[in-house]
Amino acid sequence: MRRPTIMDIAKAAGVSKGAVSYALNGRPGVSEGTRKRILDIASDLGWAPSNPARALAAGGRVGAVGLVVDRPSRSLGIEPFFMQLVSGIETELSATGVDLLLQVTEDADTELAVYRRWASERRVDGVVMVDLRVDDPRPAAVRGLGLPAVLLGGPGGAGDLPCLYTDDSSSVREVVRYLAALGHRHVVQVSGPEEFAHTVDRGEAFREAADRAGLVGAYSVHSDYTGEAGARTTRRLLAAAERPTALVYDNDLMAVAGLGVAAEMGVDVPSQLSIVAWDDSALCRLVRPSLTAIGRDVVGHGRQVARMLGRLLEGEPVASQESSAGELHPRGSTGPLVVSHVSAVTSE
């Protein structure tokens, strides 16, 4: 249904728009009887004040913050990371009566266009930004728009935006050491899109840790976080003449898809293939065998980044903060390398 306007109320009450404005805003200019009649009609029509309109008129706050997610929409609804992140942000905002405006886009240019529209229309008071990119234009763009922002990621490349970041390299090193201790030497990292800064950071940490551990068959391949792409990548890796004995995925969706492909191709997990997922979730715990994963407090990160933005909007100085590193949760998808299986594979 169309949102009722002041003009609708004026027509129903048989008065001018000015009289309705006086009544709704508690200003003198109408009798008490007319004021009550106008307020009753406004209530019957379901009229509510427009926060953006009030903000434009008074130069105040609209009571909403924005989050743009530039990810494939086909997978976003089932990706636990963003569901947990939004849950954390919403939990924190609801306590203060602030709304979250969520927008899904398909490319970086569209995301920038959303920020420009939100700023020009005063749709939000500030934004939470995610997925920092290499040479990311967004920090400079939101500063130029005068749009307060807090970044989940960084700190490198964030400019002077306050950010909540995690040292992913320590978790990567832990995973590599763990797999090496199980006897794995041919390990492949199935990472996210190469334009993301955290993909670059994790990839560099993986290669350095693999070199130190003597994993001569270790390398990285890029995917896009979707289950479909994760399945295709896994199928290609497992069909190779010398297939890996361990796969480390950059998110849980790809790892679950990879587990399914292994079963499809008759590769036993974990005796022939070990699998590790980034970002522990219910998906990792529900599949069989359950997936070894790096767990992070994503809900807590959402709450923290919302608090940081709230303080920024209050005019307080907000410094970047480092969150705790992820923890490795070993489960049924990882195990010692079985030499007999590897020999059988390479002789095929």
Side-chain angles (χ1 to χ4, degrees):
M1 294 179 61
R2 182 176 66 86
R3 181 190 180 100
T5 65
I6 288 180
M7 180 60 76
D8 295 327
I9 300 171
K11 288 181 179 178
V15 298
S16 67
K17 286 177 59 178
V20 174
S21 179
Y22 292 147
L24 295 177
N25 290 291
R27 293 161 54 193
V30 292
S31 67
E32 287 306 312
T34 300
R35 186 189 308 279
K36 183 179 184 307
R37 183 161 59 88
I38 290 172
L39 293 176
D40 288 343
I41 291 172
S43 177
D44 291 341
L45 291 176
W47 179 87
S50 168
N51 284 338
R54 284 187 167 184
L56 285 170
R61 300 255 294 271
V62 300
V65 300
L67 171 65
V68 182
V69 180
D70 182 17
R71 292 285 185 91
S73 57
R74 66 185 182 278
S75 64
L76 187 61
I78 59 172
E79 187 169 0
F81 173 84
F82 279 107
M83 295 192 318
Q84 293 178 58
L85 178 65
V86 169
S87 173
I89 294 173
E90 282 276 25
T91 299
E92 195 65 32
L93 294 179
S94 63
T96 59
V98 177
D99 297 325
L100 176 65
L101 183 58
L102 175 65
Q103 179 84 46
V104 180
T105 62
E106 294 290 345
D107 57 71
D109 290 338
T110 305
E111 181 177 352
L112 288 171
V114 170
Y115 294 135
R116 287 192 290 268
R117 176 167 56 83
W118 282 352
S120 65
E121 297 176 1
R122 290 295 305 277
R123 298 290 300 278
V124 297
D125 297 312
V127 295
V128 172
M129 295 172 59
V130 296
D131 289 336
L132 183 68
R133 299 174 177 88
V134 177
D135 298 323
D136 200 324
R138 296 176 302 163
V142 296
R143 283 197 301 273
L145 293 168
L147 196 58
V150 174
L151 175 68
L152 184 62
D160 59 0
L161 292 186
C163 54
L164 180 66
Y165 63 94
T166 305
D167 178 17
D168 286 345
S169 60
S170 62
S171 298
V172 173
R173 289 192 294 269
E174 183 178 10
V175 169
V176 172
R177 287 195 298 265
Y178 171 65
L179 292 173
L182 292 174
H184 295 278
R185 293 296 177 268
H186 190 175
V187 181
V188 175
Q189 178 196 33
V190 183
S191 65
E194 54 190 330
E195 67 266 21
F196 289 155
H198 64 259
T199 299
V200 174
D201 293 342
R202 292 179 193 175
E204 291 177 352
F206 176 78
R207 288 187 291 275
E208 291 173 0
D211 287 343
R212 282 196 293 270
L215 308 188
V216 293
Y219 61 93
S220 300
V221 295
H222 293 288
S223 191
D224 70 354
Y225 292 128
T226 65
E228 296 86 348
R232 286 195 303 271
T233 302
T234 305
R235 206 170 280 117
R236 186 173 66 252
L237 291 169
L238 297 186
E242 294 188 12
R243 68 191 184 199
T245 63
L247 295 174
V248 181
Y249 293 87
D250 253 10
N251 80 339
D252 47 0
L253 279 184
M254 294 194 297
V256 169
L259 181 64
V261 169
E264 165 197 317
M265 298 181 69
V267 179
D268 183 70
V269 177
S271 67
Q272 293 177 283
L273 177 71
S274 284
I275 292 178
V276 179
W278 201 276
D279 281 329
D280 194 11
S281 69
L283 286 179
C284 297
R285 297 185 291 274
L286 291 174
V287 295
R288 289 294 176 269
S290 55
L291 291 174
T292 295
I294 293 291
R296 298 185 294 172
D297 183 10
V298 180
V299 173
H301 291 175
R303 298 193 65 169
Q304 181 63 17
V305 81
R307 286 194 293 268
M308 291 171 66
L309 182 57
R311 294 199 300 271
L312 188 66
L313 296 177
E314 292 295 334
E316 299 178 19
V318 177
S320 295
Q321 300 179 26
E322 181 176 2
S323 59
S324 58
E327 296 182 2
L328 178 65
H329 300 294
R331 297 197 182 98
S333 68
T334 50
L337 176 63
V338 180
V339 177
S340 61
H341 285 145
V342 176
S343 299
V345 170
T346 55
S347 64
E348 291 175 356

